[in-house]
Amino acid sequence: MDSSTSVALEPLLSFLAFSLSQIESGFYRIPGSAVVARYVKSSHQNDPGRTILELILVIFAIRTLLQSRTRTDRSGKHFIRFSEKEIDELVDEWVPEPLVQPLSEWEQKDLNSVPVIAGPNGPKPKLLATGKIVTNLASFNFAGLAGNEKVKERALETLQKYGLGSCGPPGFYGTIDVHLDLERDIAEFLGTEASILYSQGFSTISSVIPAFCKRGDIIVADRSVNFAIQKGILISRSTVRWFDHNDLKSLEDTLISVEKDRKKRKGPLTRRFIITEGIFERDGEMVDLPKLVELKLKYKYRLIMDESISFGTMGRTGRGLTELYNVPASQIDMLVGSVANGLCSAGGFCAGSAIVVDHQRINGTSFVFSASMPALLATSGSEAITLLRNNPSVLLNLQDNIRAIRAVLEKTEGITLLGHRASPIIHFCLRTQQQSLSVTQSTYDHEAEERILQDIVDDSVANGVLLTRAKHLRGQEMIESRPTIRIAASAALTRKEVEKAAGVVKASVTRILSKRR
Amino acid sequence: MSRPSPKLLHLTVPVPADIKGRRRSGSIVKVEEVGGRTEELLDRNAYLNINANWVNAKGAWLIHVVLVFMGKIIIDTIPGMTQQISWTLVNLIYLNLSYLMFHWVTGIPFDNELHGGAYDDLTLWEQIDDGAQYTPSKKWLFTAPILLFLASTHYTNYNPWLFAVNLTALIVLAIIPKLPQLHRQRVRFLTGDASGVSTPVTPSFPKMDQNPLHAANPAESHFG
């Protein structure tokens, strides 16, 4: 058997030997082959193991050299390479999408339910649709400055003198002397060294934060800050840690853990900021300012406080939380407020030390790139500050009205009032069976609650009280909050009117909730 | 007036139960991607990165050969130097210095303000050619240590230990970090969570510790 296979294989073997000798002689005829042969022999050095390893390396290197270039990071991982025919097909069947998606039924209803007012806004405006006069509990008019006669006179004078437009950004022909006057007035009012004026309230805080916080800095922010602050933090690219809403114990824990992390990493000491609001727009809670300042000094953080709601409403003369808690305004590094909400004019400001304010003249994006506010709005703001200084009793009226509204609404069945009892914005939401936090997200229905609240709002408007839901961008904010109705108390209404209006709201709530049951 | 009223109902919808009370991660070794967030990609594309473009210049290719040559000559002048030790030294010094330059140091020394810290987590290798793989410079940088190794084994006859040392150094310091599969990946040892139970970390929160693939800091990784 063995000999027969070897006999069969003999011609094959002799053919192989012959072809090998042919290849060898052909190889040696190529010029330079002797060099290569000598090189390989001396590399080999009689050690086949190493030669194999080196061969593997060489093959790997050649494979790498032969690979073609891949795409860069920037082109994205989702790029699909289509063939020409596929591209043509896709182009043929393409139908352009509309610029704006058509509104869903709920969104259409929401849009239609926004009331249109005939004439100027004020504490008792007239609705265009029905011609009825309603009590305005929706617009921010805390000290009753909207439609104030003195402010109107001053604004008209300014309009005669300066015209309307401001001609440009504040750094480039847009600053008028009345802007500088208002900045000085705000700084004197608050007791800071200087202040800077921004032309829009929303973009104030979202310009102040990126002006000071850069990538690599640490921000410790409250979870329920408003949308403008969230955008500012996102733009700044800083590392952000969130602490539980209005919980100073949680804040302290976060500050300690940030310091521990930094020590563990042996990282350099970077700038650190605490960002919070004076009165939270989302639910009306008020922050404990002395304790906050104490924490900030202990852990060496800078404090950015957004007093959009509390400036012009809190304190004896409306200076905000600093007056209320008797904390000097120099303790707050950047005090951001809203001239639109508190002084019923337009825009916002940031008050602080001279260095803080001067830095923003170049680095505050909204200051550099947006037009400055019209002159008449700046003088309205200055006049409003004078009025607040001279008539602090309006704020006592405001607090009376707040107490009156809360007293009526607390007795209402089926709703829960939120926020601090002195806060000028009063949120209420539907009271659910389970009062605790054990409501899981799957059983929670935003849409249904919003519909019920919208029914309450519509019913109130029909009965003479203008209300609004607190509007949020669903899916864009960092945390989803429960739908609420937001009441903005005003000092321009008398106590009787406010009690009557609150009674109407209570009746609407009871009516709608009993219908639902 | 300054005492806050007791909270009746938390306004926020509670976070799902799997984030609260999250257990510490049990793995000893974890491979993570860095530098892939959208803001960082946008910030990188704003300007040209001169810190990574110089490797494309032809002089930068030639300098490897020149430096190795000069290094070999200088090391050969040391009295009592055998060929084995000399080639091993050249090999190891070249591999270590190129590892330090291309795979250890992160961030950019020049033009840091322009890119706003978008390159702070990336090594030079990952910055070359905006992260494209198998570009000409990368192919050259891949081949150069291999050629050096092959030349060194050709001209001397290593004893088995030195051969193993050289080969391991080549694979660990030159080949593995340059593989495209490890692009922007970091191996982390024994990391703890950056926050406690009371402040659960949001998904977009970047990890605070940086522990790139290296074995030279056992203390930090051990007590991490």
Side-chain angles (χ1 to χ4, degrees):
Chain A
M1 182 67 164
D2 214 4
S3 57
S4 63
T5 51
S6 61
V7 162
L9 284 174
E10 234 181 72
L12 189 59
L13 288 173
S14 60
F15 173 69
L16 276 176
F18 175 67
S19 48
L20 271 175
S21 62
Q22 285 284 63
I23 291 172
E24 208 176 323
S25 57
F27 178 67
Y28 277 117
R29 254 183 263 136
I30 301 172
S33 58
V35 177
V36 176
R38 199 174 55 225
Y39 177 83
V40 173
K41 242 185 240 147
S42 68
S43 276
H44 177 57
Q45 294 170 17
N46 282 336
D47 192 345
R50 288 188 209 187
T51 312
I52 289 179
L53 277 171
E54 288 166 21
L55 261 175
I56 292 175
L57 265 178
V58 167
I59 291 173
F60 185 64
I62 293 179
R63 174 196 160 271
T64 309
L65 284 175
L66 291 177
Q67 295 271 21
S68 58
R69 188 188 173 127
T70 65
R71 308 199 66 84
T72 64
D73 278 341
R74 76 168 79 179
S75 358
K77 306 188 241 292
H78 308 295
F79 187 82
I80 313 170
R81 203 168 270 287
F82 289 114
S83 68
E84 282 300 320
K85 192 164 151 310
E86 285 171 334
I87 294 177
D88 286 340
E89 275 175 27
L90 284 172
V91 165
D92 282 336
E93 64 186 33
W94 176 72
V95 170
E97 273 182 27
L99 265 179
V100 174
Q101 294 296 338
L103 297 174
S104 71
E105 193 201 309
W106 165 243
E107 287 171 341
Q108 191 64 49
K109 253 184 68 176
D110 207 13
L111 185 60
N112 293 342
S113 69
V114 175
V116 180
I117 293 179
N121 201 352
K124 286 190 154 307
K126 182 161 88 157
L127 290 182
L128 183 66
T130 55
K132 287 201 318 192
I133 310 262
V134 292
T135 312
N136 192 349
L137 288 184
S139 313
F140 286 166
N141 183 12
F142 303 119
L145 292 163
N148 184 305
E149 286 305 322
K150 278 219 201 110
V151 172
K152 263 202 230 176
E153 256 180 54
R154 184 90 192 273
L156 279 172
E157 274 171 31
T158 320
L159 184 62
Q160 310 277 6
K161 182 174 173 197
Y162 290 97
L164 183 61
S166 57
C167 303
F172 189 67
Y173 287 120
T175 300
I176 315 177
D177 57 347
V178 292
H179 294 131
L180 299 175
D181 286 341
L182 180 57
E183 286 177 358
R184 203 191 49 233
D185 284 341
I186 292 176
E188 276 171 12
F189 190 49
L190 285 173
T192 60
E193 279 181 28
S195 80
I196 180 173
L197 206 57
Y198 288 85
S199 52
Q200 204 209 349
F202 182 93
S203 52
T204 307
I205 185 69
S206 55
S207 304
V208 169
I209 296 177
F212 293 101
C213 311
K214 307 288 184 190
R215 191 191 294 267
D217 293 343
I218 296 175
I219 293 181
V220 175
D222 187 300
R223 246 177 244 282
S224 294
V225 285
N226 61 40
F227 191 58
I229 296 181
Q230 289 171 31
K231 283 298 158 197
I233 293 176
L234 183 65
I235 294 172
S236 73
R237 307 269 194 268
S238 316
T239 321
V240 59
R241 301 291 303 276
W242 305 98
F243 67 93
D244 293 335
H245 178 48
N246 210 13
D247 185 355
L248 290 180
K249 179 80 184 49
S250 164
L251 171 61
E252 187 159 11
D253 289 339
T254 315
L255 298 178
I256 294 175
S257 80
V258 165
E259 184 57 29
K260 263 204 275 214
D261 276 335
R262 191 189 66 79
K263 285 221 181 66
K264 200 162 71 151
R265 279 186 305 131
K266 300 187 199 56
L269 193 62
T270 55
R271 291 175 289 263
R272 299 171 296 190
F273 298 87
I274 299 178
I275 300 187
T276 182
E277 294 184 64
I279 291 184
F280 289 91
E281 191 190 329
R282 196 184 285 263
D283 58 1
E285 291 283 344
M286 200 186 302
V287 74
D288 183 358
L289 189 58
K291 183 93 199 304
L292 186 60
V293 169
E294 184 196 313
L295 278 178
K296 151 199 128 113
L297 290 172
K298 179 172 170 196
Y299 292 96
K300 302 201 180 34
Y301 276 63
R302 292 192 169 89
L303 180 60
I304 301 181
M305 194 155 83
D306 185 3
E307 290 219 49
S308 293
I309 307 285
S310 50
F311 177 73
T313 57
M314 292 280 117
R316 190 185 65 90
T317 51
R319 287 177 166 87
L321 287 193
T322 46
E323 188 176 24
L324 183 67
Y325 285 108
N326 207 6
V327 168
S330 54
Q331 299 276 32
I332 302 177
D333 299 281
M334 292 125 214
L335 209 163
V336 175
S338 171
V339 178
N341 295 344
L343 305 178
C344 289
S345 177
F349 66 86
C350 174
S353 67
I355 297 178
V356 157
V357 163
D358 280 341
H359 176 83
Q360 288 173 65
R361 295 211 190 269
I362 301 284
N363 289 294
T365 37
S366 173
F367 188 81
V368 172
F369 295 111
S370 286
S372 56
M373 63 168 84
L376 65 100
L377 292 174
T379 48
S380 310
S382 297
E383 188 61 29
I385 291 183
T386 322
L387 284 175
L388 279 179
R389 261 194 230 255
N390 295 338
N391 316 334
S393 55
V394 291
L395 295 172
L396 292 175
N397 288 350
L398 175 64
Q399 290 298 324
D400 272 343
N401 290 351
I402 296 173
R403 271 195 287 273
I405 297 177
R406 287 193 89 98
V408 172
L409 287 178
E410 263 162 7
K411 297 201 202 74
T412 314
E413 294 285 321
I415 58 170
T416 320
L417 281 181
L418 300 162
H420 193 263
R421 77 196 121 120
S423 142
I425 50 171
I426 304 164
H427 285 263
F428 66 83
C429 64
L430 295 176
R431 187 180 301 189
T432 52
Q433 294 297 86
Q434 301 127 296
Q435 286 278 47
S436 62
L437 293 174
S438 57
V439 177
T440 59
Q441 238 163 343
S442 54
T443 63
Y444 188 65
D445 194 355
H446 284 286
E447 293 267 336
E449 287 209 1
E450 291 205 20
R451 274 175 231 274
I452 299 177
L453 290 177
Q454 190 57 39
D455 286 339
I456 297 177
V457 166
D458 292 335
D459 195 70
S460 299
V461 173
N463 286 319
V465 173
L466 196 55
L467 275 188
T468 178
R469 285 184 296 123
K471 304 268 168 90
H472 294 289
L473 288 165
R474 294 251 161 254
Q476 295 219 25
E477 301 221 8
M478 214 195 50
I479 54 166
E480 296 292 331
S481 53
R482 291 188 63 174
T484 63
I485 289 183
R486 182 193 73 199
I487 295 182
S490 170
L493 300 167
T494 66
R495 197 190 167 104
K496 283 258 164 7
E497 287 169 341
V498 153
E499 280 175 349
K500 184 156 160 281
V504 166
V505 174
K506 176 174 173 185
S508 296
V509 168
T510 332
R511 205 179 1 247
I512 299 289
L513 286 183
S514 62
K515 236 190 286 183
R516 290 265 158 175
R517 225 186 298 281
Chain B
M1 180 111 149
S2 44
R3 225 188 21 229
S5 55
K7 287 194 282 251
L8 281 176
L9 184 69
H10 276 264
L11 185 57
T12 62
V13 176
V15 291
D18 53 356
I19 289 188
K20 272 196 172 203
R22 186 167 61 165
R23 307 182 316 273
R24 287 178 87 86
S25 167
S27 12
I28 298 178
V29 171
K30 221 174 11 162
V31 176
E32 276 185 333
E33 199 208 359
V34 291
R37 292 186 302 169
T38 326
E39 311 92 72
E40 292 181 348
L41 282 171
L42 288 173
D43 285 342
R44 273 179 231 150
N45 299 336
Y47 295 97
L48 216 55
N49 186 8
I50 58 170
N51 304 284
N53 281 350
W54 59 270
V55 295
N56 289 328
K58 286 302 180 285
W61 293 24
L62 202 52
I63 197 75
H64 289 265
V65 180
V66 168
L67 282 177
V68 164
F69 208 62
M70 286 180 21
K72 179 78 174 64
I73 292 176
I74 292 174
I75 290 181
D76 274 346
T77 62
I78 300 175
M81 183 63 66
T82 66
Q83 279 302 303
Q84 287 199 37
I85 301 180
S86 162
W87 276 109
T88 311
L89 269 179
V90 170
N91 213 1
L92 287 180
I93 291 178
Y94 175 79
L95 287 172
N96 277 308
L97 285 180
S98 66
Y99 181 81
L100 181 72
M101 174 170 223
F102 286 99
H103 301 289
W104 179 289
V105 176
T106 60
I108 47 178
F110 302 110
D111 272 352
N112 206 355
E113 316 79 40
L114 279 185
H115 298 277
Y119 285 111
D120 282 350
D121 291 327
L122 297 187
T123 60
L124 178 54
W125 183 259
E126 290 155 352
Q127 292 174 29
I128 294 177
D129 290 326
D130 289 323
Q133 303 300 327
Y134 300 120
T135 65
S137 323
K138 285 194 174 177
K139 286 180 185 172
W140 164 248
L141 289 169
F142 209 97
T143 336
I146 296 181
L147 285 177
L148 177 60
F149 176 75
L150 289 174
S152 66
T153 55
H154 173 71
Y155 284 116
T156 75
N157 190 5
Y158 282 131
N159 69 51
W161 286 112
L162 281 182
F163 182 81
V165 163
N166 274 325
L167 188 61
T168 331
L170 176 75
I171 292 179
V172 168
L173 290 180
I175 297 205
I176 290 187
K178 295 184 163 68
L179 290 176
Q181 288 73 24
L182 284 180
H183 180 64
R184 282 199 280 116
Q185 309 287 339
R186 300 276 181 266
V187 179
R188 308 228 187 260
F189 299 96
L190 284 179
T191 55
D193 281 334
S195 75
V197 169
S198 59
T199 51
V201 175
T202 54
S204 60
F205 175 62
K207 288 281 178 273
M208 295 274 269
D209 51 339
Q210 293 172 19
N211 206 353
L213 172 60
H214 67 92
N217 202 353
E220 187 168 350
S221 57
H222 185 65
F223 296 113

